[in-house]
Amino acid sequence: MGRRYDTVTLLTDYGLVDEFVGVMKSVLRDLAPHVAIVDLTHGITAYDVRGGALCLGRSVAYLPEGVVVAVVDPGVGTDRRAIAVEVADGAGVFVGPDNGLLAPAVALLGGAQRAVSLTNPDYRLDGDGGATFDGRDVFAPAAAHLCNGVDLLALGDEVDSSTLLPAAVPLPELTDGRLRGQVLWIDGFGNCQLNIGPDELDQIASGEDVVRLLVDGAASRTARRVTSFAELSQGAIGIVTDSYGMLALVLDRRSAADELGLAVADDVTLAAIDDGDGRDDGVRVELTSR
Amino acid sequence: MGRRYDTVTLLTDYGLVDEFVGVMKSVLRDLAPHVAIVDLTHGITAYDVRGGALCLGRSVAYLPEGVVVAVVDPGVGTDRRAIAVEVADGAGVFVGPDNGLLAPAVALLGGAQRAVSLTNPDYRLDGDGGATFDGRDVFAPAAAHLCNGVDLLALGDEVDSSTLLPAAVPLPELTDGRLRGQVLWIDGFGNCQLNIGPDELDQIASGEDVVRLLVDGAASRTARRVTSFAELSQGAIGIVTDSYGMLALVLDRRSAADELGLAVADDVTLAAIDDGDGRDDGVRVELTSR
Amino acid sequence: MGRRYDTVTLLTDYGLVDEFVGVMKSVLRDLAPHVAIVDLTHGITAYDVRGGALCLGRSVAYLPEGVVVAVVDPGVGTDRRAIAVEVADGAGVFVGPDNGLLAPAVALLGGAQRAVSLTNPDYRLDGDGGATFDGRDVFAPAAAHLCNGVDLLALGDEVDSSTLLPAAVPLPELTDGRLRGQVLWIDGFGNCQLNIGPDELDQIASGEDVVRLLVDGAASRTARRVTSFAELSQGAIGIVTDSYGMLALVLDRRSAADELGLAVADDVTLAAIDDGDGRDDGVRVELTSR
C-alpha cells in the first residue's frame, strides 16, 4: 500500500453546464468517500491545453497535499498516454493526459519522481460506453484508488519521466531596449497577464513609482505603473504586478482586454520612452495585431 | 428511524449566478452537517424538465448511495406534488417535483418502491416568503431529514407509485431501412447525442470500421464512424459511441451542433447508402428542419 | 483561543471561469482541513458591491453558523480596510472588505459586536505577488485561522463598529397613493424583485386575490397578483410575493426583465387603478426609463 490522500483537486475544460464534473465527483465519492474535493476550475476554454497548463502552474503553490486531476484532453480515445505523476516525495500526485497539461505544475514542484501510464484495467471503470470520457472512466478512478492507498506503480506501466510531454511556455525577448512578450492569460475582469516580470521591466525602465506605458501602432497608449486598480483614473491603462508576481495590463473596474483589443497569446512589446525631460521614466507598449 | 445517508446529490436549473443553490446547501449544512454534497449540475436549461430528466438518467449509474435532490420545477407553488421516491431497497431516495423529472432515473434503478408526497409541515421550512422556492423550503429540508434518519413515510402522505408522472423518452423508428431518431442532448462541446444506439445502427449498416454518414436535405453530409474525436480530419463529421453508450454526431475540436445546425429534439434520420461499389458500407443522415 | 468553526460560506464576484475561487478554497483546505465550504455564489456582477450586499442580506437567515467570506472589492490594494466582524454572540463572523458589502447582513443579525481590521501579518499569506488578490492572501487565511480557534482580536487592530461603512438600501416612497420603488435584483429567470413588500402594496390596493397591475408610460401594462408562476396565462405579467417576502414582477416560464425592459436599480411605481366598476382592485406600475 502507498500513502493515502484526503484531497482531490480538479481542473477541467468540461464547464459546469453538463454533468461531466458531477459524474466525476460521483465516482470519487463512491470509490473514496473520505476525500474532500476542491474545484480549482472547470472553466478552461475547451481543448485549450496551454491555458489549462498555465492555470495549473499559477495555482500549484497554493494547492493542498493530495491528488490533482487535470483534464483538458482533445486526444481522448487515441493512444496518447493517461498518466499519474508523483512529485515532492509523494506529497502530491498529478493525474491527467500526457499532453503537456501537467508539465508546468510538475516542473514547479521539482519535477516528476515516479510516473505511470494508467493501463491497469482493474483501476478503470469499464462501462458500455465509448472511450470519450476518461475523466470518469480513467482519471477519477485512478485518483480515488490513490487516495485509498493504492501504490502509484499498481496503476499501470511505469514511465520514464523524461518521456513525458513538456510544456512550451514562451519567454520574453529583450532586444534594443525593447521587451517583446505576449499575453499569457486574460482573467474574467479583463486583466491581461504578460509573460514578463517586474524585474524584466526594470531592466528597460527605471523603477520609478510613476512610469508611463505607451501602446503604439493602431492602439498606442500610455499607462502608469500602479499597485492597485483604484489608483487609476477612469479609462487610464495601468501596469501592475499581479497576485502571481507577473506584470498585467489593467484598468480600474474595466476590462483591459476590451480596451486594448487583446486576446490570449497576442504579442505585446514594452519599450522605454523618453518623454522629453531627459529622464527615461516611461514604458511603451506595442501591440502586434493578430 | 429509517436508514441514514451521508451524500446528497443535486441537480437543478437554478444556475450558479444567483444564490439559490448556495441557500439550498446552507439549509442542508444547517440541518444535516454530516452530509457531503455532490453537484451533478445546476446548468439545466430553465424549465427544461425533459433535459433534466435525461441528464439524471444518464448519470444515475454513477451516483453514490444517498439522496438525490432534483429541481426543475415550472409548476412550483401549484398543486403539483412534491415527492420523495425510494429505490433499490433504500440505497437511494429521489426528491423533487412530480413532473416526470425523476422518472427515467427511478425507472433505471428498478422503479419506485415507496413514495410520499412531502406534505408534512414539520419537515418543511416555513418562512415569511411566498411559495416560489421549494428547493429551499421543501426539497432540501426533506433531503436533510432523510439523511438524519427520518423515515420516508414520516415526510408526508404515501403515494401509489403508479400515479407518479412518467417521462416520455422518444424511441427511434426503423422503416424501410431508415432509422429515424432525434437529438437527445447537445453537450458543451457541441456533441449531439442521438436516441439511437450502436446496435440499432448496425441493423441498417454493416459494422465496418469505416462507414459513411450522409446528412442530406439542406445539409446533406457524409461522416465516418470513429471511436475518438481525433481520428477525424478537420471539419469532417463523425459518429461515435459516446461515453453513455449512445451514438453521437461529433467533430474534432469543433461543435457538431454548430456545423450541422442542430438543436435538442431535432429529428435525425440515418440511412444506409450504396456508394456504387456494391457494398453497403455507409450511413446517410437526414436532418429534418425545425 | 476563541471559538472554533467548521463551516466557511463564500460569496464573491470572481466568477467560476478563473481559478480564483479554487485557490481560495485551496488555501482554506490547506490551513483548516476540517472545514466544510459552502459556495453561496461567485456570480455577483464584477465590482457590484451593492448587488453582493443585497445577495448576502437575502441569504443570511439561512446560513449555517460559522465564518462568511464575502469579496466584492474594487478597492483591493488601497487603504480601504479588510475587516472581520463578529455577530450574534460569536455564532458568526463576516470577513471581507469594509466597503458596505457586509453591512446589510451584519445589521440583520443584530449588528457588529466586535470588529477588527485584518492587519496582523502573521495571519496573512505573504507571497511574491502584488496586492490584488486579498481573497487568497487576506480573507481566506483569516477565515481559516478563525475556524482553527484564533481569537478575532488576534487578527489585527480592533475597530469601532460605528465606523464600519454602512450600506444604503433604498426605501420605497408612498406619495398620493402611488408607491415608488426600484428593482433590487433580477434573478437568472428574469424575475424582478422590488424593494416593496406585500404589506406596502396592500396600503394602496385592496388585498384581493385577483388584482391588476398596470405598467404605463412606454410600457404600460396590467398584471395579476398571484402566488405561483403557473397561474399566469402566457405573456401575462404577475406580481408575486417571492421566496424572500418581497414583491417581484414575474411571468410564467419567461423573463419579466426582458418583457418589461427592466434592469437592476430601475425605478418602478405602483399605483392603484379604478377599473370603472367603482372598486379599487388594481395596481398600476410605472417604469421610469433610465
Side-chain angles (χ1 to χ4, degrees):
Chain A
M1 295 291 283
R3 182 169 177 164
R4 288 171 61 90
Y5 301 98
D6 58 8
T7 307
V8 173
T9 300
L10 301 178
L11 173 149
T12 76
D13 68 346
Y14 289 155
L16 291 172
V17 172
D18 298 310
E19 75 274 15
F20 301 130
V21 173
V23 168
M24 284 183 69
K25 291 179 178 178
S26 295
V27 169
L28 286 166
R29 178 76 182 154
D30 197 42
L31 295 177
H34 70 288
V35 164
I37 297 171
V38 174
D39 294 295
L40 188 54
T41 180
H42 302 287
I44 302 297
T45 301
Y47 324 120
D48 184 7
V49 175
R50 179 178 179 273
L54 290 171
C55 179
L56 197 56
R58 287 193 299 272
S59 310
V60 72
Y62 299 94
L63 299 187
E65 285 195 7
V67 179
V68 176
V69 178
V71 190
V72 181
D73 192 14
V76 62
T78 67
D79 59 1
R80 70 93 186 83
R81 291 184 295 201
I83 54 173
V85 180
E86 196 177 74
V87 297
D89 297 327
V93 181
F94 289 82
V95 174
D98 180 22
N99 62 7
L101 177 65
L102 311 177
V106 167
L108 285 164
L109 293 178
Q113 292 177 328
R114 297 192 300 171
V116 293
S117 178
L118 301 171
T119 50
N120 187 342
D122 294 346
Y123 297 114
R124 290 171 171 241
L125 290 189
D126 190 16
D128 299 328
T132 58
F133 191 4
D134 278 1
R136 177 192 72 190
D137 298 333
V138 178
F139 301 126
H145 291 298
L146 286 167
C147 290
N148 288 338
V150 171
D151 188 80
L152 186 83
L153 298 180
L155 297 179
D157 302 315
E158 189 160 9
V159 165
D160 178 350
S161 63
S162 72
T163 70
L164 299 177
L165 203 71
V169 177
L171 296 177
E173 295 169 24
L174 176 60
T175 315
D176 298 333
R178 301 166 76 93
L179 200 49
R180 183 186 184 84
Q182 66 169 251
V183 177
L184 286 182
W185 171 45
I186 298 176
D187 72 19
F189 298 94
N191 303 314
C192 301
Q193 187 186 58
L194 306 178
N195 65 337
I196 301 174
D199 293 348
E200 290 162 318
L201 180 58
D202 286 342
Q203 293 176 18
I204 62 165
S206 57
E208 302 182 14
D209 286 349
V210 179
V211 301
R212 289 191 298 159
L213 194 87
L214 287 177
V215 180
D216 62 15
S220 182
R221 301 291 291 264
T222 45
R224 294 178 57 220
R225 204 162 171 183
V226 293
T227 58
S228 69
F229 307 111
E231 292 170 53
L232 293 163
S233 57
Q234 191 180 350
I237 313 292
I239 190 162
V240 71
T241 301
D242 75 6
S243 62
Y244 299 100
M246 301 301 288
L247 294 183
L249 303 177
V250 303
L251 273 82
D252 184 31
R253 309 190 197 197
R254 288 176 55 194
S255 166
D258 287 350
E259 179 70 19
L260 298 170
L262 285 173
V264 167
D266 276 359
D267 286 334
V268 173
T269 300
L270 309 185
I273 54 168
D274 184 336
D275 62 0
D277 64 2
R279 294 186 308 152
D280 178 10
D281 62 357
V283 171
R284 187 166 61 186
V285 174
E286 288 181 3
L287 304 180
T288 304
S289 62
R290 278 155 278 170
Chain B
M1 296 293 282
R3 182 168 178 165
R4 287 171 60 90
Y5 301 97
D6 58 10
T7 307
V8 173
T9 301
L10 301 179
L11 173 149
T12 75
D13 68 345
Y14 289 154
L16 291 172
V17 172
D18 298 310
E19 75 274 14
F20 300 130
V21 172
V23 169
M24 285 184 68
K25 291 180 177 178
S26 296
V27 170
L28 286 166
R29 177 76 182 155
D30 198 41
L31 295 177
H34 70 288
V35 165
I37 296 171
V38 174
D39 294 295
L40 189 54
T41 180
H42 302 287
I44 302 297
T45 301
Y47 323 120
D48 184 7
V49 174
R50 178 178 179 275
L54 290 171
C55 178
L56 197 56
R58 285 193 301 271
S59 310
V60 72
Y62 298 95
L63 299 186
E65 285 195 7
V67 179
V68 176
V69 177
V71 190
V72 182
D73 192 13
V76 63
T78 67
D79 59 3
R80 71 93 186 84
R81 292 184 294 200
I83 55 173
V85 180
E86 195 178 73
V87 297
D89 297 327
V93 181
F94 289 82
V95 174
D98 180 21
N99 62 6
L101 177 65
L102 311 177
V106 167
L108 286 165
L109 293 178
Q113 292 177 330
R114 298 191 299 171
V116 294
S117 178
L118 301 171
T119 50
N120 187 342
D122 294 346
Y123 297 113
R124 291 170 171 243
L125 291 189
D126 190 17
D128 298 329
T132 59
F133 191 4
D134 278 1
R136 178 191 71 191
D137 297 335
V138 178
F139 301 126
H145 291 298
L146 286 166
C147 290
N148 287 338
V150 171
D151 188 79
L152 186 83
L153 298 180
L155 297 179
D157 302 316
E158 189 161 9
V159 165
D160 178 350
S161 63
S162 71
T163 70
L164 299 176
L165 203 71
V169 177
L171 296 177
E173 293 170 25
L174 176 59
T175 315
D176 298 335
R178 299 165 77 93
L179 200 48
R180 183 186 184 82
Q182 66 170 249
V183 177
L184 285 183
W185 172 45
I186 298 176
D187 71 20
F189 297 95
N191 304 313
C192 300
Q193 186 186 58
L194 306 179
N195 65 336
I196 301 175
D199 294 347
E200 291 163 317
L201 180 58
D202 287 341
Q203 292 176 20
I204 62 164
S206 56
E208 304 181 12
D209 286 349
V210 178
V211 299
R212 290 191 298 157
L213 194 88
L214 286 177
V215 179
D216 63 14
S220 182
R221 300 291 291 264
T222 43
R224 294 179 58 220
R225 204 163 170 182
V226 294
T227 59
S228 68
F229 307 111
E231 293 170 50
L232 293 164
S233 55
Q234 190 180 349
I237 312 292
I239 190 162
V240 71
T241 300
D242 76 5
S243 63
Y244 298 100
M246 302 302 288
L247 295 182
L249 303 177
V250 303
L251 273 83
D252 183 33
R253 309 191 196 196
R254 288 176 52 194
S255 166
D258 288 351
E259 178 70 18
L260 298 170
L262 285 172
V264 167
D266 276 0
D267 287 333
V268 173
T269 299
L270 309 185
I273 54 167
D274 184 336
D275 62 0
D277 64 2
R279 295 187 309 151
D280 179 10
D281 62 358
V283 171
R284 189 166 61 186
V285 174
E286 289 181 1
L287 304 180
T288 304
S289 63
R290 280 155 278 169
Chain C
M1 295 293 283
R3 181 169 179 164
R4 287 171 61 89
Y5 302 97
D6 59 9
T7 306
V8 173
T9 300
L10 301 179
L11 173 149
T12 76
D13 68 346
Y14 289 155
L16 292 172
V17 172
D18 298 310
E19 75 274 15
F20 300 130
V21 172
V23 169
M24 284 182 69
K25 291 180 177 178
S26 296
V27 169
L28 286 166
R29 177 78 181 152
D30 198 42
L31 295 177
H34 71 287
V35 164
I37 297 170
V38 174
D39 293 295
L40 188 55
T41 180
H42 302 288
I44 302 298
T45 301
Y47 324 119
D48 184 7
V49 175
R50 180 179 179 272
L54 289 171
C55 178
L56 197 56
R58 288 193 300 271
S59 311
V60 71
Y62 298 95
L63 299 186
E65 285 195 8
V67 179
V68 177
V69 177
V71 190
V72 182
D73 191 14
V76 62
T78 66
D79 60 1
R80 71 92 186 83
R81 291 185 295 201
I83 54 173
V85 180
E86 195 178 74
V87 297
D89 298 327
V93 181
F94 289 81
V95 174
D98 180 22
N99 61 7
L101 178 65
L102 310 177
V106 167
L108 285 165
L109 293 178
Q113 293 177 329
R114 298 192 298 171
V116 294
S117 177
L118 301 171
T119 50
N120 186 341
D122 295 345
Y123 297 114
R124 291 171 170 240
L125 291 189
D126 190 16
D128 298 329
T132 58
F133 191 3
D134 277 0
R136 177 190 72 189
D137 298 334
V138 178
F139 301 126
H145 290 298
L146 286 166
C147 289
N148 288 337
V150 171
D151 188 79
L152 186 82
L153 298 181
L155 297 178
D157 302 315
E158 190 161 9
V159 165
D160 178 349
S161 63
S162 72
T163 68
L164 299 176
L165 202 70
V169 176
L171 296 177
E173 294 170 24
L174 176 60
T175 315
D176 298 335
R178 300 165 76 95
L179 201 48
R180 184 185 183 83
Q182 66 170 250
V183 177
L184 285 182
W185 173 45
I186 297 176
D187 71 20
F189 298 95
N191 304 312
C192 300
Q193 187 187 58
L194 306 178
N195 65 337
I196 300 174
D199 294 347
E200 290 162 318
L201 180 58
D202 287 340
Q203 292 177 20
I204 62 165
S206 56
E208 303 182 13
D209 286 349
V210 179
V211 299
R212 290 190 297 157
L213 194 89
L214 287 177
V215 179
D216 63 15
S220 182
R221 299 292 290 264
T222 45
R224 296 177 56 218
R225 203 162 171 182
V226 293
T227 58
S228 68
F229 307 111
E231 292 171 52
L232 293 164
S233 56
Q234 190 178 351
I237 312 292
I239 191 162
V240 70
T241 300
D242 75 5
S243 63
Y244 299 99
M246 301 302 286
L247 295 182
L249 303 177
V250 303
L251 272 82
D252 184 32
R253 308 189 197 198
R254 288 175 53 193
S255 165
D258 288 350
E259 178 70 20
L260 298 169
L262 285 172
V264 167
D266 276 359
D267 286 333
V268 172
T269 300
L270 308 185
I273 55 167
D274 184 337
D275 62 1
D277 65 1
R279 294 187 307 150
D280 179 10
D281 61 359
V283 171
R284 189 167 60 185
V285 174
E286 288 180 3
L287 303 180
T288 304
S289 62
R290 279 155 278 168

